[in-house]
Amino acid sequence: MSDYKKIKEEAIQALREAKSVERAEELRVVYLGRKGVITTALRALAEKSIEEKRSDGPELNAFRKELEDRIKERKKELSFKGVANFDLTMPGKKLKRGSLHPLSIVEKEIVAIFKSMNFSVAEGPEAESEYYNFDALNIPENHPAREMWDTFWLESSQKISDNNFKSSNKKVEKFLMRTHTSPVQIRFMKENKPPFQIVVPGRVFRYEATDMSHEINFHQIEGLSIGRSINLANLKFIIEEFFNRFFGKKLEFRFRPSYFPFVEPGVEVDIKMPGGEKWLEVMGAGMVHKNVLKAVKIDEREWQGFAFGMGVERLAMLKYKIPDIRMFYAGDLRFIRQF
Ligand code: YSA
C-alpha cells in the first residue's frame, strides 16, 4: 500500500507549497480530476481481484475524501487577503451606550452646586426608626403634625438590631420607610460638632395616592447649615442662588410662611411652572427649632442655623418640562433615552 502513501504525501506537500488558488485547483485536477491520479486508480480497481478491491478500496476512498477537504481548506486560506481586504473607510458599527436616569443627572447637578457653596454630602438609611424620623424632629407621638406624613410602617418583627436605630429612651422602637430626609439631620448632628453645612440626597417613601405631582417613592435633598450666626437671610440667599444656578436663569419663586415642627419660623418655596400660572411647591425650609438642637445636645444658645428639604422629581419636572412625575418610574425607554 506504500504506493498510495507516497502519492498521498506528495499531494499534501504540493498543496502546502501552493501559493495561489489557481495552483490549488491545478492540484485538484491532477489528483481528483476525471483523468486524475486517484480517479484513475479507483477506476483500475474494477479490474482487480476481490481481495485487492477489499484492501485498496476503502483506503483510496478515504484518501480521496481527505484530499478534497484539504484542497477546499487551502483554497479558503489562499483567498483570504488579510487586513488589506477591509475597507478602512467604512463607518464603524455604532455602540449603544447607556445613560444616567434623569433623576440621577439632576441629583448630581444639585449636589455639585451645593458642594461649590461649601456644603459637604451625608447620607442615611432608608429604613428608619420612629425616633429619628419623628420624635427627635420635635414631632411627638399622637401629635397631629404626624398626619403631614403618610407613613409606611414596618412590621415590628423586622426590627433591626443596629445601634443606629436605638432610640434614646423608648422601650419599643417602631420602624418605617423614612418619609423625608430630615432624620439624617439628627444623625449627622449627633455625630459632628458645629459649625457645618451638609446636603443629604436620598430616597423617601409616602403612603399616599399618586397623581401627576405625587409619587409614593420619590427623592429629596436635605440641607443643613449650623453656625454661630446663621439666619433666615442666609437661607434665602443660598436658596435663591441655588435655584438661579440650577435653572440657569432667573425664575419667579415665592417664600410662603408654613409650619414644620422642626423649624421656627418655617417656610415653603414655590416656583412658577414654565409658561403657566400655576405654582409648584418644591421645598420646605426654616430655622432649626431649638428643641431639635436640644435633642442632639447642641447648645441652642450658642448655635443656630437653617435647614431645608427639596423634592428632586419636582425640580427635574420644572427643568426638563416633564408634565407627570409618574414618567420617571414607568420604565419607558422612549422617555429615558432623551436624557
Ligand atoms: C422642611 C424644613 C426643614 O428644616 C427641612 C426639611 C423640610 C422638608 C420636610 N422634611 C418635608 O418633607 N416637607 S414636605 O413634605 O413638604 O416635602 C418636601 C418636598 O418634597 C415638597 O416640597 C415636594 O417638592 C416634595 N414632595 C413631597 N411629597 C411628594 C413630593 N414629591 C413627589 N411626590 C410626593 N408625594
Side-chain angles (χ1 to χ4, degrees):
M1 252 355 340
S2 50
D3 286 2
Y4 293 144
K5 210 173 168 192
K6 193 146 172 272
I7 295 173
K8 188 172 159 181
E9 271 165 13
E10 273 171 17
I12 289 170
Q13 184 58 26
L15 196 59
R16 209 171 276 140
E17 283 163 11
K19 289 279 176 297
S20 66
V21 178
E22 290 71 30
R23 174 69 187 136
E25 173 60 13
E26 263 174 43
L27 289 170
R28 191 192 65 78
V29 173
V30 167
Y31 289 95
L32 305 168
R34 254 189 317 132
K35 291 181 182 151
V37 180
I38 297 169
T39 324
T40 311
L42 273 165
R43 210 176 286 133
L45 212 57
E47 314 290 314
K48 300 268 173 75
S49 69
I50 299 265
E51 291 79 46
E52 277 179 303
K53 276 183 193 159
R54 266 206 200 119
S55 69
D56 293 8
E59 187 174 4
L60 264 172
N61 272 316
F63 178 26
R64 188 187 59 179
K65 178 79 185 67
E66 184 185 339
L67 202 60
E68 264 173 18
D69 292 347
R70 280 180 184 264
I71 290 172
K72 250 190 232 153
E73 195 52 38
R74 186 75 183 123
K75 279 182 174 172
K76 227 196 263 168
E77 277 172 30
L78 290 165
S79 60
F80 177 70
K81 294 202 180 62
V83 176
N85 206 23
F86 287 122
D87 179 356
L88 295 175
T89 62
M90 219 151 76
K93 274 190 194 145
K94 251 201 192 138
L95 285 179
K96 270 213 183 108
R97 286 237 230 143
S99 59
L100 290 177
H101 190 277
L103 289 174
S104 304
I105 297 175
V106 167
E107 187 181 288
K108 274 172 185 271
E109 283 176 3
I110 296 173
V111 168
I113 295 172
F114 280 105
K115 273 187 172 170
S116 79
M117 296 196 283
N118 215 19
F119 282 72
S120 34
V121 182
E123 279 185 293
E126 292 174 356
E128 191 50 285
S129 70
E130 180 180 32
Y131 171 75
Y132 284 114
N133 196 84
F134 292 125
D135 306 337
L137 286 164
N138 196 31
I139 318 170
E141 213 179 340
N142 305 321
H143 190 284
R146 282 211 184 179
E147 319 256 302
M148 292 166 79
W149 292 279
D150 314 271
T151 309
F152 285 115
W153 291 98
L154 299 175
E155 287 180 16
S156 51
S157 61
Q158 294 189 350
K159 187 165 169 174
I160 304 160
S161 62
D162 178 332
N163 271 337
N164 286 334
F165 286 90
K166 268 201 200 118
S167 91
S168 55
N169 44 26
K170 269 189 291 181
K171 295 249 158 48
V172 185
E173 190 57 68
K174 287 202 282 178
F175 295 91
L176 60 138
M177 297 311 289
R178 66 178 176 194
T179 60
H180 49 183
T181 42
S182 300
V184 189
Q185 285 189 33
I186 305 298
R187 287 175 177 278
F188 189 86
M189 287 193 285
K190 274 191 165 178
E191 303 274 305
N192 295 278
K193 290 209 178 330
F196 43 67
Q197 310 200 90
I198 54 163
V199 282
V200 182
R203 189 187 285 265
V204 302
F205 309 83
R206 290 195 195 172
Y207 178 64
E208 62 183 350
T210 58
D211 61 27
M212 57 185 282
S213 57
H214 292 83
E215 260 293 357
I216 58 167
N217 141 44
F218 60 100
H219 294 76
Q220 289 187 337
I221 292 185
E222 191 83 6
L224 175 68
S225 173
I226 301 288
R228 286 203 166 78
S229 56
I230 305 283
N231 57 44
L232 203 61
N234 298 142
L235 166 68
K236 191 158 181 283
F237 172 81
I238 293 282
I239 294 306
E240 288 184 358
E241 177 69 13
F242 162 72
F243 280 130
N244 289 335
R245 282 169 64 179
F246 178 72
F247 289 105
K249 59 180 176 220
K250 286 216 152 43
L251 286 173
E252 258 189 90
F253 37 87
R254 65 183 184 194
F255 286 74
R256 257 184 307 119
S258 183
Y259 171 70
F260 296 100
F262 34 97
V263 288
E264 179 58 37
V267 295
E268 266 174 309
V269 184
D270 302 336
I271 292 185
K272 191 75 145 297
M273 288 284 269
E277 287 300 297
K278 272 171 69 185
W279 295 90
L280 187 65
E281 178 204 311
V282 292
M283 70 157 54
M287 294 300 294
V288 177
H289 198 288
K290 64 177 180 352
N291 288 350
V292 173
L293 294 173
K294 276 183 189 156
V296 295
K297 302 198 166 59
I298 288 180
D299 186 348
E300 82 280 6
R301 289 160 305 182
E302 190 180 351
W303 303 100
Q304 59 179 37
F306 64 75
F308 58 82
M310 63 179 102
V312 178
E313 281 77 1
R314 299 268 177 98
L315 291 175
M317 288 168 76
L318 286 164
K319 184 157 184 171
Y320 294 110
K321 301 190 172 59
I322 295 163
D324 194 312
I325 194 170
R326 290 165 291 197
M327 296 175 88
F328 290 115
Y329 299 100
D332 188 335
L333 290 177
R334 291 168 302 179
F335 171 72
I336 302 290
R337 290 209 175 114
Q338 292 176 49
F339 297 90

